Amino acid sequence: NTSVGIRDVLAVLGIEAEFQGSAWVVKGLSAQSAAQRSGVKAGDIIQSVDGRRLKEDTKFSGSFSGRTLRIVREGKSMDLDLKDQKNP
């Protein structure tokens, strides 16, 4: 069973992030990525992917859908549904 680190998972979603303190902070987004189309912005704090809270060394085993992100922006939590990369 293969496991994938959270940095790689975020990269697949089009997110460049850095772990700061106790959270993943969005530094940049790939153009036309699922994350960009879904409204993720630089500076957002990513709390979870598919309901799974993130730590610095979070790993995903097997398959993951990458359908939802919980972020914090300006002190407010929000859930974002990620737009399918194949169907913008």
Side-chain angles (χ1 to χ4, degrees), residues 41-72:
K41 296 182 178 178
D44 287 348
I45 296 167
I46 303 169
Q47 286 190 316
S48 66
V49 174
D50 292 342
R52 183 165 174 197
R53 287 192 69 81
L54 303 182
K55 298 183 205 137
E56 185 172 15
D57 58 353
T58 298
K59 294 204 181 306
F60 287 79
S61 315
S63 63
F64 73 98
S65 65
R67 294 198 188 278
T68 61
L69 283 181
R70 171 163 281 179
I71 63 161
V72 175

mmCIF file of all heavy atoms in Angstrom, residues 41-72:
data_model
loop_
_atom_site.group_PDB
_atom_site.id
_atom_site.type_symbol
_atom_site.label_atom_id
_atom_site.label_comp_id
_atom_site.label_asym_id
_atom_site.label_seq_id
_atom_site.Cartn_x
_atom_site.Cartn_y
_atom_site.Cartn_z
ATOM 1 N N LYS A 41 -7.066 30.820 -1.845
ATOM 2 C CA LYS A 41 -6.231 32.005 -2.048
ATOM 3 C C LYS A 41 -4.946 31.895 -1.236
ATOM 4 O O LYS A 41 -4.916 31.242 -0.194
ATOM 5 C CB LYS A 41 -6.978 33.262 -1.602
ATOM 6 C CG LYS A 41 -8.208 33.540 -2.419
ATOM 7 C CD LYS A 41 -8.872 34.810 -1.982
ATOM 8 C CE LYS A 41 -10.073 35.076 -2.871
ATOM 9 N NZ LYS A 41 -10.802 36.255 -2.494
ATOM 10 N N ALA A 42 -3.902 32.572 -1.710
ATOM 11 C CA ALA A 42 -2.656 32.642 -0.951
ATOM 12 C C ALA A 42 -2.979 33.245 0.411
ATOM 13 O O ALA A 42 -3.769 34.175 0.522
ATOM 14 C CB ALA A 42 -1.632 33.495 -1.694
ATOM 15 N N GLY A 43 -2.387 32.672 1.448
ATOM 16 C CA GLY A 43 -2.631 33.136 2.806
ATOM 17 C C GLY A 43 -3.661 32.298 3.547
ATOM 18 O O GLY A 43 -3.747 32.349 4.778
ATOM 19 N N ASP A 44 -4.469 31.519 2.806
ATOM 20 C CA ASP A 44 -5.432 30.631 3.461
ATOM 21 C C ASP A 44 -4.689 29.588 4.291
ATOM 22 O O ASP A 44 -3.605 29.144 3.913
ATOM 23 C CB ASP A 44 -6.308 29.897 2.433
ATOM 24 C CG ASP A 44 -7.342 30.793 1.765
ATOM 25 O OD1 ASP A 44 -7.557 31.935 2.235
ATOM 26 O OD2 ASP A 44 -7.939 30.339 0.770
ATOM 27 N N ILE A 45 -5.279 29.197 5.390
ATOM 28 C CA ILE A 45 -4.734 28.126 6.231
ATOM 29 C C ILE A 45 -5.553 26.879 5.957
ATOM 30 O O ILE A 45 -6.790 26.908 6.049
ATOM 31 C CB ILE A 45 -4.821 28.506 7.721
ATOM 32 C CG1 ILE A 45 -3.950 29.732 7.987
ATOM 33 C CG2 ILE A 45 -4.415 27.329 8.601
ATOM 34 C CD1 ILE A 45 -4.199 30.388 9.325
ATOM 35 N N ILE A 46 -4.888 25.800 5.595
ATOM 36 C CA ILE A 46 -5.595 24.562 5.273
ATOM 37 C C ILE A 46 -5.687 23.710 6.535
ATOM 38 O O ILE A 46 -4.668 23.309 7.094
ATOM 39 C CB ILE A 46 -4.869 23.780 4.164
ATOM 40 C CG1 ILE A 46 -4.724 24.661 2.928
ATOM 41 C CG2 ILE A 46 -5.635 22.501 3.835
ATOM 42 C CD1 ILE A 46 -3.805 24.086 1.885
ATOM 43 N N GLN A 47 -6.911 23.453 6.982
ATOM 44 C CA GLN A 47 -7.117 22.636 8.180
ATOM 45 C C GLN A 47 -7.263 21.163 7.843
ATOM 46 O O GLN A 47 -6.777 20.316 8.573
ATOM 47 C CB GLN A 47 -8.371 23.093 8.924
ATOM 48 C CG GLN A 47 -8.193 24.388 9.652
ATOM 49 C CD GLN A 47 -9.379 24.655 10.563
ATOM 50 O OE1 GLN A 47 -10.525 24.469 10.171
ATOM 51 N NE2 GLN A 47 -9.089 25.090 11.765
ATOM 52 N N SER A 48 -7.995 20.857 6.756
ATOM 53 C CA SER A 48 -8.221 19.449 6.435
ATOM 54 C C SER A 48 -8.449 19.254 4.944
ATOM 55 O O SER A 48 -8.834 20.174 4.227
ATOM 56 C CB SER A 48 -9.428 18.903 7.216
ATOM 57 O OG SER A 48 -10.613 19.532 6.805
ATOM 58 N N VAL A 49 -8.172 18.029 4.507
ATOM 59 C CA VAL A 49 -8.473 17.577 3.152
ATOM 60 C C VAL A 49 -9.396 16.380 3.317
ATOM 61 O O VAL A 49 -9.076 15.445 4.061
ATOM 62 C CB VAL A 49 -7.199 17.151 2.388
ATOM 63 C CG1 VAL A 49 -7.553 16.550 1.029
ATOM 64 C CG2 VAL A 49 -6.250 18.325 2.205
ATOM 65 N N ASP A 50 -10.541 16.407 2.659
ATOM 66 C CA ASP A 50 -11.533 15.327 2.773
ATOM 67 C C ASP A 50 -11.875 15.006 4.228
ATOM 68 O O ASP A 50 -12.046 13.854 4.600
ATOM 69 C CB ASP A 50 -11.045 14.054 2.067
ATOM 70 C CG ASP A 50 -10.964 14.212 0.565
ATOM 71 O OD1 ASP A 50 -11.587 15.137 0.022
ATOM 72 O OD2 ASP A 50 -10.264 13.411 -0.069
ATOM 73 N N GLY A 51 -11.931 16.039 5.059
ATOM 74 C CA GLY A 51 -12.288 15.846 6.462
ATOM 75 C C GLY A 51 -11.164 15.360 7.353
ATOM 76 O O GLY A 51 -11.345 15.181 8.555
ATOM 77 N N ARG A 52 -9.993 15.155 6.803
ATOM 78 C CA ARG A 52 -8.850 14.670 7.589
ATOM 79 C C ARG A 52 -7.964 15.839 7.988
ATOM 80 O O ARG A 52 -7.383 16.511 7.136
ATOM 81 C CB ARG A 52 -8.065 13.664 6.761
ATOM 82 C CG ARG A 52 -6.933 13.072 7.539
ATOM 83 C CD ARG A 52 -6.405 11.853 6.875
ATOM 84 N NE ARG A 52 -5.228 11.417 7.602
ATOM 85 C CZ ARG A 52 -4.343 10.579 7.131
ATOM 86 N NH1 ARG A 52 -4.515 10.061 5.942
ATOM 87 N NH2 ARG A 52 -3.309 10.254 7.839
ATOM 88 N N ARG A 53 -7.875 16.083 9.303
ATOM 89 C CA ARG A 53 -7.053 17.193 9.802
ATOM 90 C C ARG A 53 -5.587 16.975 9.422
ATOM 91 O O ARG A 53 -5.097 15.858 9.456
ATOM 92 C CB ARG A 53 -7.192 17.331 11.309
ATOM 93 C CG ARG A 53 -8.554 17.909 11.676
ATOM 94 C CD ARG A 53 -8.619 18.323 13.117
ATOM 95 N NE ARG A 53 -7.805 19.474 13.432
ATOM 96 C CZ ARG A 53 -8.151 20.745 13.221
ATOM 97 N NH1 ARG A 53 -9.310 21.021 12.669
ATOM 98 N NH2 ARG A 53 -7.356 21.728 13.558
ATOM 99 N N LEU A 54 -4.922 18.077 9.086
ATOM 100 C CA LEU A 54 -3.546 17.988 8.608
ATOM 101 C C LEU A 54 -2.542 18.331 9.694
ATOM 102 O O LEU A 54 -2.734 19.276 10.455
ATOM 103 C CB LEU A 54 -3.341 18.945 7.427
ATOM 104 C CG LEU A 54 -4.272 18.738 6.236
ATOM 105 C CD1 LEU A 54 -3.916 19.716 5.135
ATOM 106 C CD2 LEU A 54 -4.218 17.309 5.736
ATOM 107 N N LYS A 55 -1.478 17.540 9.712
ATOM 108 C CA LYS A 55 -0.307 17.830 10.532
ATOM 109 C C LYS A 55 0.859 17.994 9.559
ATOM 110 O O LYS A 55 0.717 17.780 8.361
ATOM 111 C CB LYS A 55 -0.026 16.671 11.489
ATOM 112 C CG LYS A 55 -1.143 16.422 12.475
ATOM 113 C CD LYS A 55 -0.735 15.300 13.412
ATOM 114 C CE LYS A 55 -1.967 14.635 13.966
ATOM 115 N NZ LYS A 55 -1.947 13.226 14.011
ATOM 116 N N GLU A 56 2.003 18.312 10.093
ATOM 117 C CA GLU A 56 3.158 18.531 9.218
ATOM 118 C C GLU A 56 3.506 17.282 8.413
ATOM 119 O O GLU A 56 3.911 17.361 7.263
ATOM 120 C CB GLU A 56 4.371 18.958 10.054
ATOM 121 C CG GLU A 56 5.567 19.310 9.207
ATOM 122 C CD GLU A 56 6.699 19.920 10.008
ATOM 123 O OE1 GLU A 56 6.691 19.828 11.243
ATOM 124 O OE2 GLU A 56 7.601 20.490 9.373
ATOM 125 N N ASP A 57 3.311 16.102 9.022
ATOM 126 C CA ASP A 57 3.734 14.858 8.372
ATOM 127 C C ASP A 57 2.561 13.960 7.980
ATOM 128 O O ASP A 57 2.720 12.755 7.836
ATOM 129 C CB ASP A 57 4.675 14.093 9.300
ATOM 130 C CG ASP A 57 4.016 13.777 10.646
ATOM 131 O OD1 ASP A 57 2.887 14.258 10.902
ATOM 132 O OD2 ASP A 57 4.633 13.056 11.438
ATOM 133 N N THR A 58 1.374 14.531 7.783
ATOM 134 C CA THR A 58 0.204 13.735 7.397
ATOM 135 C C THR A 58 0.490 12.979 6.105
ATOM 136 O O THR A 58 1.056 13.529 5.162
ATOM 137 C CB THR A 58 -1.028 14.643 7.201
ATOM 138 O OG1 THR A 58 -1.319 15.287 8.435
ATOM 139 C CG2 THR A 58 -2.248 13.839 6.756
ATOM 140 N N LYS A 59 0.099 11.708 6.096
ATOM 141 C CA LYS A 59 0.238 10.879 4.889
ATOM 142 C C LYS A 59 -1.130 10.294 4.551
ATOM 143 O O LYS A 59 -1.913 9.980 5.433
ATOM 144 C CB LYS A 59 1.237 9.753 5.115
ATOM 145 C CG LYS A 59 2.647 10.255 5.328
ATOM 146 C CD LYS A 59 3.641 9.191 4.980
ATOM 147 C CE LYS A 59 5.071 9.598 5.198
ATOM 148 N NZ LYS A 59 5.491 10.799 4.559
ATOM 149 N N PHE A 60 -1.391 10.167 3.266
ATOM 150 C CA PHE A 60 -2.612 9.541 2.794
ATOM 151 C C PHE A 60 -2.226 8.198 2.189
ATOM 152 O O PHE A 60 -1.315 8.133 1.372
ATOM 153 C CB PHE A 60 -3.291 10.414 1.732
ATOM 154 C CG PHE A 60 -3.936 11.646 2.302
ATOM 155 C CD1 PHE A 60 -3.173 12.758 2.625
ATOM 156 C CD2 PHE A 60 -5.300 11.681 2.529
ATOM 157 C CE1 PHE A 60 -3.762 13.888 3.161
ATOM 158 C CE2 PHE A 60 -5.898 12.807 3.069
ATOM 159 C CZ PHE A 60 -5.123 13.915 3.386
ATOM 160 N N SER A 61 -2.904 7.141 2.604
ATOM 161 C CA SER A 61 -2.627 5.802 2.075
ATOM 162 C C SER A 61 -3.642 5.456 1.001
ATOM 163 O O SER A 61 -4.800 5.862 1.094
ATOM 164 C CB SER A 61 -2.733 4.742 3.164
ATOM 165 O OG SER A 61 -2.095 5.160 4.323
ATOM 166 N N GLY A 62 -3.191 4.670 0.039
ATOM 167 C CA GLY A 62 -4.103 4.244 -1.009
ATOM 168 C C GLY A 62 -4.635 5.421 -1.793
ATOM 169 O O GLY A 62 -3.897 6.306 -2.172
ATOM 170 N N SER A 63 -5.935 5.447 -1.987
ATOM 171 C CA SER A 63 -6.508 6.524 -2.781
ATOM 172 C C SER A 63 -7.204 7.545 -1.890
ATOM 173 O O SER A 63 -7.662 7.230 -0.809
ATOM 174 C CB SER A 63 -7.494 5.954 -3.800
ATOM 175 O OG SER A 63 -8.554 5.347 -3.111
ATOM 176 N N PHE A 64 -7.260 8.753 -2.370
ATOM 177 C CA PHE A 64 -8.005 9.810 -1.692
ATOM 178 C C PHE A 64 -8.701 10.597 -2.793
ATOM 179 O O PHE A 64 -8.245 10.649 -3.914
ATOM 180 C CB PHE A 64 -7.069 10.709 -0.865
ATOM 181 C CG PHE A 64 -6.224 11.608 -1.695
ATOM 182 C CD1 PHE A 64 -6.600 12.929 -1.903
ATOM 183 C CD2 PHE A 64 -5.064 11.157 -2.283
ATOM 184 C CE1 PHE A 64 -5.829 13.762 -2.689
ATOM 185 C CE2 PHE A 64 -4.285 11.983 -3.065
ATOM 186 C CZ PHE A 64 -4.670 13.292 -3.267
ATOM 187 N N SER A 65 -9.823 11.199 -2.436
ATOM 188 C CA SER A 65 -10.592 11.866 -3.493
ATOM 189 C C SER A 65 -10.167 13.314 -3.701
ATOM 190 O O SER A 65 -10.254 13.830 -4.796
ATOM 191 C CB SER A 65 -12.082 11.804 -3.179
ATOM 192 O OG SER A 65 -12.369 12.546 -2.016
ATOM 193 N N GLY A 66 -9.701 13.989 -2.636
ATOM 194 C CA GLY A 66 -9.325 15.387 -2.789
ATOM 195 C C GLY A 66 -10.511 16.237 -3.200
ATOM 196 O O GLY A 66 -10.396 17.129 -4.026
ATOM 197 N N ARG A 67 -11.687 15.964 -2.628
ATOM 198 C CA ARG A 67 -12.901 16.675 -3.029
ATOM 199 C C ARG A 67 -13.204 17.904 -2.185
ATOM 200 O O ARG A 67 -13.834 18.830 -2.673
ATOM 201 C CB ARG A 67 -14.102 15.732 -2.986
ATOM 202 C CG ARG A 67 -14.013 14.632 -4.001
ATOM 203 C CD ARG A 67 -15.368 14.008 -4.216
ATOM 204 N NE ARG A 67 -15.292 12.827 -5.050
ATOM 205 C CZ ARG A 67 -15.243 12.846 -6.373
ATOM 206 N NH1 ARG A 67 -15.236 13.985 -7.004
ATOM 207 N NH2 ARG A 67 -15.179 11.737 -7.051
ATOM 208 N N THR A 68 -12.787 17.893 -0.927
ATOM 209 C CA THR A 68 -13.108 19.040 -0.076
ATOM 210 C C THR A 68 -11.892 19.502 0.727
ATOM 211 O O THR A 68 -11.049 18.708 1.111
ATOM 212 C CB THR A 68 -14.241 18.720 0.925
ATOM 213 O OG1 THR A 68 -13.814 17.659 1.777
ATOM 214 C CG2 THR A 68 -15.523 18.341 0.219
ATOM 215 N N LEU A 69 -11.858 20.796 0.944
ATOM 216 C CA LEU A 69 -10.836 21.411 1.792
ATOM 217 C C LEU A 69 -11.555 22.223 2.851
ATOM 218 O O LEU A 69 -12.545 22.894 2.537
ATOM 219 C CB LEU A 69 -9.983 22.402 1.001
ATOM 220 C CG LEU A 69 -8.915 21.930 0.062
ATOM 221 C CD1 LEU A 69 -8.216 23.140 -0.547
ATOM 222 C CD2 LEU A 69 -7.916 21.051 0.744
ATOM 223 N N ARG A 70 -11.066 22.182 4.079
ATOM 224 C CA ARG A 70 -11.524 23.132 5.087
ATOM 225 C C ARG A 70 -10.371 24.104 5.272
ATOM 226 O O ARG A 70 -9.247 23.706 5.544
ATOM 227 C CB ARG A 70 -11.862 22.456 6.401
ATOM 228 C CG ARG A 70 -12.125 23.516 7.488
ATOM 229 C CD ARG A 70 -12.833 22.963 8.654
ATOM 230 N NE ARG A 70 -14.250 22.882 8.265
ATOM 231 C CZ ARG A 70 -15.184 22.404 9.056
ATOM 232 N NH1 ARG A 70 -14.891 21.952 10.237
ATOM 233 N NH2 ARG A 70 -16.428 22.368 8.649
ATOM 234 N N ILE A 71 -10.682 25.380 5.087
ATOM 235 C CA ILE A 71 -9.659 26.412 5.222
ATOM 236 C C ILE A 71 -10.102 27.435 6.262
ATOM 237 O O ILE A 71 -11.277 27.494 6.631
ATOM 238 C CB ILE A 71 -9.397 27.133 3.876
ATOM 239 C CG1 ILE A 71 -10.661 27.860 3.408
ATOM 240 C CG2 ILE A 71 -8.870 26.173 2.829
ATOM 241 C CD1 ILE A 71 -10.398 28.931 2.383
ATOM 242 N N VAL A 72 -9.141 28.219 6.713
ATOM 243 C CA VAL A 72 -9.437 29.368 7.563
ATOM 244 C C VAL A 72 -8.923 30.588 6.818
ATOM 245 O O VAL A 72 -7.768 30.623 6.378
ATOM 246 C CB VAL A 72 -8.755 29.256 8.939
ATOM 247 C CG1 VAL A 72 -8.991 30.519 9.758
ATOM 248 C CG2 VAL A 72 -9.253 28.031 9.690
#
